[in-house]
Amino acid sequence: MLSPRTSPTRDIVGLDGLWRFALDSRATAEPWRARLDTPLEAPVPASYNDLFTDPEIRDHVGVVWYQREVRVPRGWSGQRVVLRFGSVTHAAQVYVDDRLVTEHTGGYTPFEADLTDVVAPGAEFRLTAGVDNRLTNETLPPGTVTTGPDGRPRQSYLHDFYNYAGIARPVRLCSTPRSHVEDITVVTGRDGSAGVVDYLVEAVGGAEEVRVRAVDEAGATVASSTGTEGSLRIEDVTLWRPGAAYLYDLIVELVCPDGKLLDSYTQPFGVRTVEVRGTDFLINGEPFYFTGFGKHEDTPVRGKGHDDAYLVHDFQLLDWTGANSFRTAHYPYAEEVLDFADRHGVVVIDETAAVGLNLGVQGGLTGVPPTPTFAPENFGGVMGDVHAQHLRELIERDKNHPSVVMWCLANEPASNEEGAREYFEPLVELVRKLDPTRPLTYAAVMFATPQNDRIGDLFDVLSINRYYGWYLFTGDLATAETYLEQDLRGWAERFGKPVMMSEYGADTQPGLHSVWDAPWSEEYQSDLLAMYHRVFDRIPAFVGEHVWNFADFQTSAGIHRVDGNKKGVFTRERKPKSAAFALRRRWQGLDGRKPGTPIAEED
Ligand code: BDP
């Protein structure tokens, strides 16, 4: 799915701003039929939960309504008109005046409605969106809705981040010509010093010609071709490299036989290759070592609402710590984030919202599920199809981002349980078919060991989440070190594949200090990370370290969380804890090399 971009043939009207807002329980029946009668307004993009003081809104389970008026620009006559939501968490029903124009389930991917035959240039329409935050065993992430003694619904879920909901990403009204470029796929490779760019254009409309050209950052055309499918060769190509981004533009034009331009769309791309060879993760043929974090889209007041100021600041802090990469834990992030990563050379592991496919977490540290995770009444039924749809939408959206070097199919699934292989095999097959170019991974939960894991061989990289020294052997880093090393060596030996740490960390209260190994102190967080690093540096198959988490983030209320998860190396307000400085000392200047590796001469 193409990102909305203006071009000589395309316009965009941004619909962000304040929309009328009401809980379903306080709205009239069929609220899309009239002006929403409410005193409340909510900003778009933002999660709605933390905006209002009313606890009924924060804890609301079910549908809320957003509404505004939209005027279609007068000049759009004869054009196709498309309404596009960057995301609605978790399900949306969208009305134009009295008419339902689209529905979508899945809270972190975009969707569109074609309004061409529904709206008129110059005229105004009432846009109403119903937003449903309910999680069930047919949604990703999954959850359970029960009814409390007061008759009100209660939402529970297995993942460790607050169930923020709303219209969290930009909404746009876009015009395209009726004959238009519908989709573009770009796959890049290298032939000596040349870049090879295979492209595929999906065009809708008349029997026009497709012209394609690649333009470099200086604006020079470096290769061109015609036809919906082909290959461009860029001599002396400038590669997209981690820490040194370089983007070309692929300008795709649909042209009439008489030379008239029907549509034009510009797709940025970077030329780079990704490959797993033996126990190496190679970008452009060179071993790459991941330094960075599992992140979250999470900020005060906005919740999961996209915010360009935090985007810029977070990337500044990534750079300051020497992080070269992050994982989009635990859902696809806003497209703006990936565009920024493309432009700034930050490497991304792109994850679906498949978090919580593990009933073992209800068994606490025993990991024994009260009922098997992949039983038909749990996630062994329709969930596989839901998961496949999430993967399709993720790849459709993100396939052209050079920053995305790996797909992460799930966070901490019950890969140790019976049924895991049957569940994951078709999904792995699907992703390899949709994108044969990128390696695949999943983040392995503590209960999945090198002995009992059932799916590691299906994937290319083993990403391991571990909390030795925190949930296990709390405060005893010496014992934690022994167990961690044994565990990680086990994965490396059994599978013979690259291994990385996709989560490790400790909750830390900023300002708490101790001369001892005192959990929650800033020193303990740094010492725990240092212990992990000693172990990583002893394992040859190790290809990266992603600390959990970049910043403190909000979770549901619980006795083991004090105003959220505090494993951030930065606070929720992005102030550094001591560990941020320790990481900076380890990571700065590595430039994708494994710590301790000598700098090669040509560097
Ligand atoms: C891991 C989860 C992550 C949690 C983390 C923690 O993948 O989402 O936030 O534990 O407990 O199991 O901090």
Side-chain angles (χ1 to χ4, degrees):
M1 177 186 269
L2 297 178
S3 287
R5 293 183 204 282
T6 58
S7 81
T9 58
R10 294 172 173 235
D11 295 305
I12 295 177
V13 173
L15 300 182
D16 296 348
L18 291 167
W19 294 38
R20 293 188 286 279
F21 176 87
L23 297 186
D24 191 41
S25 49
R26 296 181 196 164
T28 52
E30 306 194 331
W32 57 89
R33 290 192 186 278
R35 189 185 166 89
L36 201 55
D37 183 16
T38 174
L40 302 178
E41 297 183 62
V44 171
S47 304
Y48 63 76
N49 309 76
D50 290 354
L51 299 173
F52 307 101
T53 52
D54 182 349
E56 262 193 58
I57 300 178
R58 187 165 205 268
D59 301 333
H60 178 71
V61 177
V63 174
V64 300
W65 295 95
Y66 284 76
Q67 193 183 66
R68 62 166 286 163
E69 275 69 44
V70 178
R71 185 171 298 280
V72 184
R74 278 178 303 162
W76 286 14
S77 80
Q79 299 294 297
R80 181 171 158 260
V81 179
V82 178
L83 175 65
R84 190 185 199 271
F85 285 80
S87 73
V88 171
T89 319
H90 294 281
Q93 33 178 302
V94 180
Y95 295 83
V96 166
D97 296 327
D98 289 355
R99 188 195 300 212
L100 179 69
V101 292
T102 191
E103 291 181 277
H104 181 261
T105 305
Y108 305 99
T109 42
F111 59 93
E112 297 178 342
D114 189 331
L115 305 187
T116 315
D117 299 328
V118 184
V119 298
E124 196 175 66
F125 65 87
R126 192 174 56 249
L127 174 61
T128 310
V131 178
D132 192 339
N133 69 353
R134 278 171 293 193
L135 298 172
T136 68
N137 68 355
E138 296 188 1
T139 62
L140 278 178
T144 310
V145 179
T146 50
T147 306
D150 55 2
R152 277 205 256 144
R154 299 272 191 287
Q155 176 78 67
S156 61
Y157 41 91
L158 298 165
H159 53 275
D160 184 37
F161 54 92
Y162 190 81
N163 187 34
Y164 282 113
I167 305 179
R169 296 181 189 161
V171 184
R172 297 175 174 109
L173 193 69
C174 312
S175 77
T176 80
R178 293 198 183 220
S179 289
H180 63 275
V181 177
E182 177 68 20
D183 195 23
I184 300 171
T185 308
V186 180
V187 173
T188 64
R190 282 165 74 192
D191 180 16
S193 62
V196 178
V197 184
D198 295 334
Y199 70 86
L200 180 67
V201 174
E202 197 189 312
V204 172
E208 59 281 335
E209 190 189 359
V210 178
R211 291 186 192 160
V212 174
R213 64 181 197 275
V215 174
D216 69 13
E217 285 188 356
T221 298
V222 290
S224 60
S225 180
T226 55
T228 54
E229 200 173 341
S231 191
L232 303 175
R233 193 177 164 87
I234 304 176
E235 300 299 342
D236 293 322
V237 73
T238 305
L239 295 175
W240 186 96
R241 294 176 191 276
Y246 191 94
L247 295 177
Y248 292 89
D249 277 338
L250 190 76
I251 300 178
V252 177
E253 292 175 332
L254 305 190
V255 184
C256 284
D258 65 1
K260 182 172 166 265
L261 180 68
L262 285 175
D263 190 18
S264 166
Y265 184 88
T266 298
Q267 174 66 55
F269 69 95
V271 179
R272 59 108 185 90
T273 61
V274 180
E275 190 191 338
V276 167
R277 200 186 299 151
T279 56
D280 282 333
F281 192 96
L282 306 176
I283 299 184
N284 298 327
E286 291 166 19
F288 178 74
Y289 190 86
F290 294 81
T291 56
F293 303 92
K295 278 185 102 263
H296 260 301
E297 290 187 313
D298 177 274
T299 58
V301 185
R302 285 174 189 77
K304 294 200 174 304
H306 174 70
D307 183 287
D308 280 337
Y310 273 99
L311 168 67
V312 169
H313 191 54
D314 282 6
F315 274 69
Q316 284 283 304
L317 295 178
L318 290 173
D319 187 52
W320 178 89
T321 49
N324 59 20
S325 55
F326 63 91
R327 175 170 61 120
T328 69
H330 293 307
Y331 37 81
Y333 290 1
E335 291 153 277
E336 289 75 5
V337 178
L338 297 176
D339 288 340
F340 201 83
D342 287 347
R343 291 197 298 273
H344 295 272
V346 176
V347 168
V348 177
I349 299 175
D350 207 355
E351 182 164 286
T352 64
V355 51
L357 294 177
N358 195 331
L359 299 177
V361 298
Q362 292 174 330
L365 288 178
T366 67
V368 180
T371 148
T373 299
F374 297 105
E377 67 278 18
N378 296 323
F379 306 136
V382 67
M383 191 57 97
D385 297 335
V386 172
H387 200 155
Q389 182 59 17
H390 276 252
L391 287 164
R392 273 186 218 102
E393 290 186 26
L394 173 70
I395 294 168
E396 222 169 77
R397 191 194 73 162
D398 292 349
K399 62 188 173 186
N400 293 328
H401 287 287
S403 58
V404 175
V405 299
M406 182 150 66
W407 304 115
C408 183
L409 272 62
N411 183 66
E412 301 196 337
S415 63
N416 53 313
E417 281 188 47
E418 208 172 299
R421 198 171 179 85
E422 292 72 10
Y423 180 92
F424 276 99
E425 241 172 354
L427 296 177
V428 167
E429 203 177 303
L430 172 73
V431 176
R432 292 210 191 276
K433 203 167 101 213
L434 294 173
D435 179 9
T437 72
R438 288 181 178 87
L440 312 185
T441 195
Y442 65 105
V445 68
M446 194 85 192
F447 321 130
T449 66
Q451 292 74 39
N452 68 17
D453 177 86
R454 295 164 189 254
I455 63 172
D457 60 305
L458 302 173
F459 291 79
D460 305 298
V461 173
L462 299 160
S463 301
I464 313 293
N465 293 0
R466 288 296 182 265
Y467 288 95
Y468 294 114
W470 188 251
Y471 295 122
L472 288 176
F473 314 117
T474 320
D476 179 358
L477 292 179
T479 307
E481 184 162 351
T482 307
Y483 278 85
L484 174 70
E485 181 151 4
Q486 189 179 309
D487 193 343
L488 295 180
R489 282 192 187 282
W491 287 92
E493 277 156 25
R494 174 169 166 205
F495 294 104
K497 299 188 180 209
V499 181
M500 70 178 285
M501 202 83 215
S502 36
E503 285 187 26
Y504 62 115
D507 283 274
T508 302
Q509 178 59 36
L512 184 70
H513 296 286
S514 177
V515 294
W516 302 293
D517 275 346
W520 292 95
S521 66
E522 293 199 32
E523 289 73 18
Y524 189 74
Q525 186 181 35
S526 298
D527 289 349
L528 180 142
L529 299 181
M531 178 278 277
Y532 275 72
H533 296 153
R534 283 196 297 277
V535 174
F536 301 165
D537 293 349
R538 294 196 287 259
I539 300 179
F542 231 70
V543 297
E545 47 199 64
H546 277 177
V547 173
W548 190 255
N549 190 285
F550 171 74
D552 294 344
F553 58 91
Q554 195 51 265
T555 64
S556 63
I559 50 165
H560 59 305
R561 293 284 177 259
V562 186
D563 193 28
N565 188 307
K566 293 285 196 286
K567 293 192 186 71
V569 161
F570 296 93
T571 65
R572 203 178 188 210
E573 293 71 28
R574 278 48 177 175
K575 301 283 179 245
K577 301 179 190 173
S578 302
F581 296 91
L583 287 175
R584 180 173 153 86
R585 284 192 290 276
R586 176 171 166 85
W587 290 347
Q588 271 285 340
L590 283 176
D591 290 333
R593 281 183 306 271
K594 198 169 172 156
T597 319
I599 301 177
E601 268 184 16
E602 61 269 26
D603 288 4

